[in-house]
Amino acid sequence: MAASNTTTMTVPASNFDDRLLHNNNNNFFIWREFVWGAAAGAFGEGMMHPIDTIKTRIQSQAIFSASQAQKSIPQMMRTVWATDGIRGFYRGVTPGLTGSLATGATYFGVIESTKKWIEELHPDLGGHWAHFIAGGLGDTLGSFVYVPCEVMKQRMQVQGTKNSWKSTALKETFRQKSGNEMYGYYSGMFQAGGSIWKQQGLRGLYAGYWSTLARDVPFAGLMVTFYEALKDLTEYGKQKWLPHTDHVGSSFEGLLLGGLAGGISAYLTTPLDVIKTRLQVQGPMIRYNGWYDTFKRIWLVEGAKGMFRGSVPRVIWYVPASALTFMAVEFLRDQFNGEFDNKDVHEVANISIDKTSSTLREVV
């Protein structure tokens, strides 16, 4: 009879412990991914911002140059260095870091917290489709912070230093043609945001919002899909051809596969990036009226070459930036997730021991 009572009283405690362990691990895992993603996104942006500046300037040349001559990457680098020095390469880095914090957090956090849910709720969308949808959803949520930061960042990038912005012939050209002036020099992120708000309102801060989503949702979905597919392929290769060797560290694997996934996705979405950049940089002097008008004008005037303008620096930027981002996420997961999980298991184990001891005392 005593044995029967003992069994009856310990089963609920075990079930409670299992549920508690499962819920704790899920909650910790989701919140950690948001933090790791934010840190990794800012890290990648900070390291690669100078290349992003070159890419932005190359893509916006048609707006800021009266002639049709387009500078190459080396020519643009020399121009930035000659006119603005090292500061010119890092213009707009503060809003760039802020936007990357937001989009990195939502990107990785939403991916990990929703892809399993999507697979369970809609089995037909499992596998890579779940990764694509989760990546696109995460980037969409981050866009509410990212897009205003991107507008400020890109305008500060094309401005360079105060002296070079004052000397540009573009302001005089616009003034002569329409009576409108180009936006003034932005001394910092908050001053830029306030100036855009005062001059153009909320519409100015969210200039090119839909074109940004049209670029980032496919890019985010493609990148995580390529990354997960490459991970699966790598794991298959290791099990088939290197079954007895030590596995490559996940941080190093994230570096290689993340860079490859980012580079492929960046090149495929370059035309969408060109359209977005033109819309966000033009300011109050409207040259392009919406996404389709921008696409049509670029295609008619510059052709396919114009649609892929800046593709090389974009790929050069995204390969190491994506590599560093995925490496940082994998590193943070390896370093801290196990520690948190062990702590959770230890706490639940203590609860289980206490409950078992209490149950035994009641039986006795």
Side-chain angles (χ1 to χ4, degrees):
M1 190 69 177
S4 176
N5 290 339
T6 301
T7 303
T8 302
M9 297 180 71
T10 55
V11 169
S14 176
N15 289 341
F16 172 79
D17 296 342
D18 291 340
R19 290 195 300 270
L20 182 61
L21 176 60
H22 178 72
N23 291 336
N24 282 350
N25 284 344
N26 281 345
N27 290 336
F28 272 101
F29 181 74
I30 292 172
W31 285 110
R32 289 200 298 262
E33 290 297 324
F34 278 93
V35 175
W36 305 159
F43 178 66
E45 166 67 25
M47 293 291 290
M48 304 307 301
H49 186 80
I51 298 177
D52 184 56
T53 298
I54 298 300
K55 187 260 323 177
T56 300
R57 290 205 177 193
I58 287 176
Q59 290 181 340
S60 59
Q61 286 181 96
I63 298 177
F64 293 94
S65 176
S67 65
Q68 293 299 318
Q70 303 290 317
K71 290 185 175 67
S72 64
I73 296 175
Q75 289 173 332
M76 184 60 73
M77 292 178 67
R78 287 195 295 267
T79 299
V80 174
W81 179 261
T83 57
D84 304 322
I86 191 67
R87 291 178 58 192
F89 290 98
Y90 283 93
R91 281 283 291 164
V93 68
T94 302
L97 289 173
T98 304
S100 294
L101 279 169
T103 193
T106 55
Y107 184 67
F108 286 100
V110 171
I111 284 174
E112 294 302 330
S113 59
T114 61
K115 66 181 182 182
K116 291 183 179 179
W117 175 76
I118 292 174
E119 290 174 346
E120 292 175 1
L121 192 63
H122 300 284
D124 294 339
L125 298 178
H128 299 313
W129 274 113
H131 298 147
F132 186 95
I133 294 171
L137 179 60
D139 222 65
T140 301
L141 293 176
S143 67
F144 294 106
V145 175
Y146 174 75
V147 171
C149 290
E150 184 76 355
V151 172
M152 291 183 280
K153 181 195 77 172
Q154 292 200 318
R155 292 190 185 183
M156 293 174 73
Q157 285 176 320
V158 299
Q159 286 180 340
T161 59
K162 192 171 186 178
N163 290 334
S164 64
W165 182 244
K166 282 183 176 180
S167 65
T168 182
L170 178 67
K171 297 175 71 176
E172 198 62 37
T173 302
F174 277 144
R175 192 178 293 114
Q176 291 174 1
K177 286 185 177 181
S178 64
N180 292 328
E181 287 193 26
M182 198 60 173
Y183 43 85
Y185 181 77
Y186 301 141
S187 59
M189 175 178 170
F190 293 106
Q191 190 271 332
S195 178
I196 295 171
W197 175 269
K198 185 177 180 179
Q199 191 173 14
Q200 297 179 268
L202 190 65
R203 185 176 182 178
L205 286 171
Y206 281 91
Y209 178 78
W210 295 112
S211 62
T212 302
L213 287 186
R215 178 202 69 170
D216 286 352
V217 170
F219 172 79
L222 286 171
M223 185 166 66
V224 71
T225 301
F226 283 136
Y227 181 71
E228 295 292 343
L230 289 169
K231 281 184 68 175
D232 292 343
L233 184 63
T234 302
E235 188 61 32
Y236 172 79
K238 288 189 295 187
Q239 292 179 0
K240 184 174 182 179
W241 289 295
L242 302 171
H244 303 297
T245 59
D246 293 334
H247 285 183
V248 178
S250 57
S251 297
F252 182 72
E253 190 175 277
L255 181 72
L256 295 178
L257 303 184
L260 186 58
I264 296 172
S265 304
Y267 181 79
L268 293 176
T269 55
T270 296
L272 304 173
D273 185 54
V274 173
I275 294 171
K276 177 202 76 73
T277 299
R278 299 277 180 95
L279 286 170
Q280 291 182 331
V281 167
Q282 67 179 345
M285 184 58 215
I286 304 300
R287 177 171 179 172
Y288 302 106
N289 188 20
W291 192 93
Y292 178 72
D293 181 64
T294 308
F295 168 78
K296 183 174 67 174
R297 286 172 177 267
I298 295 173
W299 181 261
L300 290 176
V301 176
E302 304 171 59
K305 187 176 181 180
M307 297 303 301
F308 280 90
R309 197 171 300 284
S311 60
V312 174
R314 176 169 164 81
V315 171
I316 292 174
W317 188 92
Y318 265 107
V319 167
S322 301
L324 291 170
T325 298
F326 279 101
M327 181 194 72
V329 168
E330 296 292 353
F331 174 79
L332 291 169
R333 285 172 178 168
D334 288 346
Q335 294 298 313
F336 297 104
N337 281 8
E339 179 181 339
F340 285 135
D341 291 340
N342 290 335
K343 181 180 178 182
D344 295 339
V345 172
H346 180 68
E347 289 177 354
V348 173
N350 288 339
I351 294 173
S352 179
I353 292 171
D354 291 341
K355 285 183 173 293
T356 303
S357 300
S358 176
T359 304
L360 290 173
R361 284 195 297 270
E362 290 178 7
V363 173
V364 174

